[in-house]
Amino acid sequence: TRDGLEIEAYLTLPKGYTMETAKYLPVVVNPHGGPWARDRWGFNPEVQFLANRGYAVFQMNFRGSTGFGKKFWESSFKQWGKTMQDDITDGVEWLKQQGIANPEKIAIYGGSYGGYATLAGLTFTPDLYACGVDYVGVSNLFTFLNTIPPYWKPMLDMMHEMVGDPKADSLLLASASPVFHVDKIKAPLFVAQGANDPRVNKAESDQMVEALKNRGVETEYMVKDNEGHGFHNEENRFEFYSAMEKFLAAHL
């Protein structure tokens, strides 16, 4: 990374390519949710679906990802949209430098924190991505922290330390909330949201979509009334992935 940290990442190439022959490919950057979780080596149906459609898929364990020690985890505190996002950006720049990525055909897609990273990517690095897919992602860190479900209340103090305190860190949270910087977004966005999501309130997505539509940025919005945090009904999943496939094909 730009500050000298080593990040572990996984690159999945479409069938028939090797690291030697992978040149100028369309790429889907896929930051994981959590954010205090990690990507692992192994079969991932989403990644295979995208690779099957001809995209290289890039997953990086940005700072804060678990399994790399306490210091690496703590280095993410109060860094949403800051160094955590820089790690994703630096990974994309590496793909470009290696000649693997077609700089004109890079998308970013993620769910939950990955959805936040998608919005942050389109907002804070608007020239990097051709389009984005935000799946149940956070857009406003104030409403996110203020609508934390009752079963998370014991964790609230911890969340204030790890993400930020809406009062004490208001300037930081405002600077890192994509919804307040919508004027920077240029790339088309596809948003998917469950109406009954207890973790990422539907208002998170509503705010974003409304702000983008008001500015004339191409935005697709899929809301499912019978879903919470992520789609679990099979027919909704089929619909989501079909729509995502069409959206990526149109913009990459």
Side-chain angles (χ1 to χ4, degrees):
T1 65
R2 63 191 74 180
D3 59 354
L5 201 60
E6 192 167 297
I7 300 289
E8 185 180 286
Y10 300 100
L11 178 65
T12 304
L13 298 171
K15 193 175 179 184
Y17 287 99
T18 65
M19 283 303 279
E20 287 68 43
T21 62
K23 295 291 174 221
Y24 221 57
L25 295 174
V27 176
V28 177
V29 177
N30 181 215
H32 63 72
W36 303 290
R38 63 165 294 170
D39 282 312
R40 288 181 165 75
W41 189 88
F43 182 79
N44 178 318
E46 267 194 338
V47 171
Q48 292 302 319
F49 161 65
L50 292 165
N52 177 269
R53 299 306 192 262
Y55 305 114
V57 185
F58 189 59
Q59 304 162 280
M60 75 306 295
N61 283 315
F62 46 80
R63 70 193 71 199
S65 299
T66 49
F68 299 96
K70 185 180 178 188
K71 193 173 166 214
F72 187 82
W73 172 65
E74 286 181 335
S75 68
S76 69
F77 288 10
K78 297 188 182 177
Q79 290 298 315
W80 283 41
K82 308 296 180 188
T83 52
M84 292 168 80
Q85 195 69 29
D86 290 344
D87 292 347
I88 298 170
T89 304
D90 291 349
V92 179
E93 292 296 348
W94 180 85
L95 286 179
K96 285 158 63 174
Q97 285 158 13
Q98 301 297 311
I100 295 166
N102 176 341
E104 306 294 311
K105 296 193 171 186
I106 302 172
I108 182 166
Y109 156 62
S112 199
Y113 178 83
Y116 166 79
T118 294
L119 295 175
L122 295 190
T123 307
F124 304 127
T125 50
D127 297 319
L128 199 57
Y129 301 107
C131 64
V133 180
D134 159 30
Y135 182 48
V136 301
V138 174
S139 72
N140 181 332
L141 294 178
F142 293 100
T143 48
F144 169 64
L145 288 163
N146 290 331
T147 55
I148 278 187
Y151 64 89
W152 272 25
K153 276 287 186 269
M155 287 169 64
L156 197 55
D157 289 345
M158 199 163 90
M159 290 293 280
H160 285 169
E161 202 170 309
M162 292 164 76
V163 182
D165 182 306
K167 288 195 178 73
D169 303 307
S170 60
L171 291 175
L172 172 78
L173 296 182
S175 72
S177 295
V179 77
F180 300 126
H181 307 278
V182 176
D183 57 312
K184 296 188 177 78
I185 296 183
K186 298 189 280 196
L189 177 66
F190 172 34
V191 180
Q193 173 73 41
N196 302 314
D197 192 333
R199 266 181 277 178
V200 178
N201 204 283
K202 179 171 171 282
E204 293 292 318
S205 292
D206 289 348
Q207 294 173 65
M208 203 71 199
V209 171
E210 188 181 356
L212 283 171
K213 284 191 167 160
N214 288 343
R215 278 193 50 245
V217 175
E218 185 185 328
T219 316
E220 282 183 42
Y221 193 22
M222 178 183 285
V223 180
K224 292 296 175 192
D225 292 336
N226 58 344
E227 295 287 8
H229 194 60
F231 294 177
H232 298 281
N233 294 293
E234 203 170 55
E235 66 278 12
N236 291 339
R237 295 175 77 128
F238 284 147
E239 200 183 321
F240 169 64
Y241 287 114
S242 299
M244 177 161 86
E245 182 181 2
K246 285 195 189 88
F247 179 81
L248 292 174
H251 300 292
L252 295 185

